Amino acid sequence: MPTARVLGGGPAGLMAAEVLAGAGVDVTVHERMPSPGRKFLLAGHGGLNLTHSEDRDHFVTRYGESAERIAPMLERFGPDVLRAWAADLGEPTFVGSSGRVFPQALRATPLFRAWLARLSDLGVDIERRTSWSGWAGDVGSADRTLLITNETGHTREVTSDVTVFALGGASWPHLGADGTWVGPFTARGIDVTPLEAANVGVRVEWSDLFADRFAGTPLKNVSVTVSGGDPQRGELMLTATGVEGGLVYARGAAIRNSLKAHGRCAVRVDLRPEVSLEDVAKRLGKRRAKDSATNWLRRSIGLDPASIGLLRETSGGTLPHDAATVAALIKAVPVVVTGTMPIDRAISTAGGIAWTEVDERLMLRRMPGTFVAGEMLDWEAPTGGYLLQASFSMGVVAAHGALAWLEEQHS
Ligand SMILES: Cc1cc2nc3c(=O)[nH]c(=O)nc-3n(C[C@H](O)[C@H](O)[C@H](O)COP(=O)(O)OP(=O)(O)OC[C@H]3O[C@@H](n4cnc5c(N)ncnc54)[C@H](O)[C@@H]3O)c2cc1C
């Protein structure tokens, strides 16, 4: 019976383990934490957004520059198959109003428990509290022997016919994935793009007054433009240190690029995206003499206190008086982003093993027989179920790649 070692017990690794074991491979998973799937289970606290229901053409664009590499993986194991897989584990899914797909239980625990039971039935051995700590042999050698370290610090050498790496990125490191794999990989000459925070809040230097009053308040139905790109509509959450939420996450790559180039990034927030500039100015033109600025903005254009606070904050504390200037401000509030929150607060990680290092079946070109899946690779996507979908799909593709490679070795 051929053997496989899967490093990392997250969605990508466990999916690879399931496919390999289902094909009759003797699979051992090494997971450094006392239990696998911790990030997956945490994702369940937010309802577990497994995937998205939008059509394929839109779906693939969510992977930006990696769309071309990921598209064939979605063909192999796409949203419908993922939903069928969950249903088969006793957790049917539904499409929420935003098009996002969730398990009916809105939690990860029942699905994950059923999955672990299936893996056990398939004979998958999950060795908990065992960490991959590198490869045996000299740096630069092609030795595929793995070093596995247990919690007492004892390291042993293990081998297998195929290996699948699925050690994740570096966000929320206390859940297990901390990016320490980058060192041994780069030492072997594998090109790894530096890991960076993705789907993370951004920093804005709010005044104490504004932060105290409005942290935790959402700005609903606004649109955001970053570096002259297309405006995107949605909700922003004001925080004590800046802004977070799907709208900034979706433009994360553009924000990071601007921060790298200029040290800051000008984000324009349109507080009334459904009303034209002319109409905003017209409505503001009907100010009653006795109206305070707050009343004027609330009555004529329906701005809430947080939006009015933001206008004041970004115009030095005092609002301009004339309608045309205020209208222009409402349609493009300049918010200066000075940084992103740290990677340990990020939902996911950008960067990772360069696509040039793996073939279409996710095998490392420099290490035949070794495959990589999930957030370890250099891709990113916004929230919306795209992260888990790609991680699962890559687990499937890497496992099928490993099976094909095993067959080639014996033919
Ligand atoms: C708060 C939060 C909410 C999220 N919600 C969603 C959501 O609703 N929808 C969505 O699509 N995505 C969501 N995500 C993102 C999603 O969880 C990840 O993209 C996904 O888990 C990545 O899967 P992975 O298998 O590549 O890595 P991980 O899930 O990170 O798994 C990697 C595993 O490898 C183990 N490991 C690491 N290093 C070693 C080592 N040296 N030896 C042995 N084991 C090791 C880790 O302990 C971990 O178990 C969320 C993330 C967070 C943080």
Side-chain angles (χ1 to χ4, degrees):
M1 191 190 244
T3 57
R5 302 251 168 201
V6 174
L7 290 325
L14 294 182
M15 189 53 94
E18 178 178 340
V19 173
L20 286 163
V25 176
D26 179 6
V27 182
T28 305
V29 178
H30 292 281
E31 168 55 52
R32 65 143 52 124
M33 300 299 280
S35 57
R38 295 208 164 186
K39 195 173 278 181
F40 183 70
L41 290 167
L42 183 71
H45 291 196
L48 193 67
N49 182 193
L50 272 179
T51 184
H52 203 285
S53 62
E54 71 189 345
D55 65 69
R56 184 196 169 281
D57 289 352
H58 281 106
F59 203 111
V60 294
T61 63
R62 309 298 175 183
Y63 298 102
E65 289 172 11
S66 299
E68 216 173 291
R69 291 301 298 262
I70 292 177
M73 305 190 209
L74 297 174
E75 292 298 318
R76 174 121 221 179
F77 190 86
D80 292 343
V81 196
L82 177 54
R83 294 182 67 183
W85 171 85
D88 202 41
L89 283 169
E91 289 301 318
T93 52
F94 71 97
V95 179
S97 54
S98 58
R100 297 173 180 219
V101 174
F102 302 91
Q104 266 167 17
L106 279 171
R107 291 188 305 134
T109 320
L111 176 65
F112 197 64
R113 199 176 291 140
W115 193 14
L116 288 184
R118 174 183 286 176
L119 290 169
S120 168
D121 289 347
L122 286 167
V124 173
D125 180 19
I126 303 181
E127 279 197 25
R128 295 148 204 250
R129 296 189 166 95
T130 55
S131 291
W132 175 75
S133 46
W135 284 282
D138 297 333
V139 166
S141 85
D143 192 341
R144 284 204 297 122
T145 305
L146 304 166
L147 300 177
I148 299 295
T149 305
N150 70 13
E151 57 185 334
T152 65
H154 175 259
T155 298
R156 69 188 206 273
E157 296 189 357
V158 300
T159 55
S160 52
D161 297 316
V162 284
T163 307
V164 179
F165 277 92
L167 300 174
S171 68
W172 289 65
H174 64 283
L175 299 175
D178 62 2
T180 46
W181 54 265
V182 173
F185 271 73
T186 46
R188 286 262 165 147
I190 295 162
D191 183 14
V192 180
T193 311
L195 304 184
E196 289 182 283
N199 291 307
V200 70
V202 294
R203 288 185 189 283
V204 181
E205 310 296 325
W206 301 131
S207 65
D208 290 347
L209 202 68
F210 181 80
D212 283 351
R213 173 126 194 244
F214 295 114
T217 311
L219 292 176
K220 294 194 172 159
N221 191 23
V222 296
S223 92
V224 158
T225 309
V226 178
S227 307
D230 290 336
Q232 293 206 3
R233 270 164 88 150
E235 184 174 308
L236 284 178
M237 178 61 77
L238 299 169
T239 69
T241 50
V243 191
E244 61 185 29
L247 262 189
V248 270
Y249 301 166
R251 306 293 291 130
I255 293 174
R256 281 201 314 272
N257 288 342
S258 173
L259 286 169
K260 274 179 211 154
H262 313 292
R264 49 186 34 224
C265 173
V267 172
R268 302 271 163 189
V269 181
D270 183 345
L271 294 170
R272 275 288 165 268
E274 74 286 1
V275 188
S276 69
L277 174 62
E278 294 70 32
D279 282 351
V280 173
K282 209 185 287 172
R283 289 197 212 175
L284 291 177
K286 296 173 190 153
R287 184 175 187 173
R288 298 191 300 214
K290 60 180 180 156
D291 266 352
S292 67
T294 305
N295 270 346
W296 172 46
L297 293 169
R298 185 178 50 77
R299 272 197 322 97
S300 56
I301 194 75
L303 291 188
D304 58 20
S307 301
I308 298 170
L310 184 67
L311 290 177
R312 283 214 170 87
E313 177 77 3
T314 51
S315 31
T318 325
L319 282 175
H321 285 290
D322 74 294
T325 311
V326 178
L329 196 58
I330 289 171
K331 292 296 289 172
V333 188
V335 174
V336 179
V337 171
T338 55
T340 57
M341 295 306 284
I343 198 162
D344 58 3
R345 300 270 299 276
I347 288 177
S348 62
T349 308
I353 296 169
W355 284 113
T356 47
E357 294 288 348
V358 290
D359 65 15
E360 73 288 345
R361 49 192 182 181
L362 296 180
M363 185 165 80
L364 284 172
R365 295 182 198 281
R366 292 166 204 267
M367 293 181 101
T370 297
F371 296 76
V372 190
E375 271 196 43
M376 281 183 91
L377 280 153
D378 183 10
W379 59 279
E380 65 178 302
T383 53
Y386 308 104
L387 297 161
L388 282 173
Q389 174 68 62
S391 301
F392 282 124
S393 301
M394 289 182 198
V396 170
V397 167
H400 282 291
L403 291 171
W405 189 80
L406 279 171
E407 211 172 299
E408 280 163 30
Q409 304 313 299
H410 294 106
S411 61

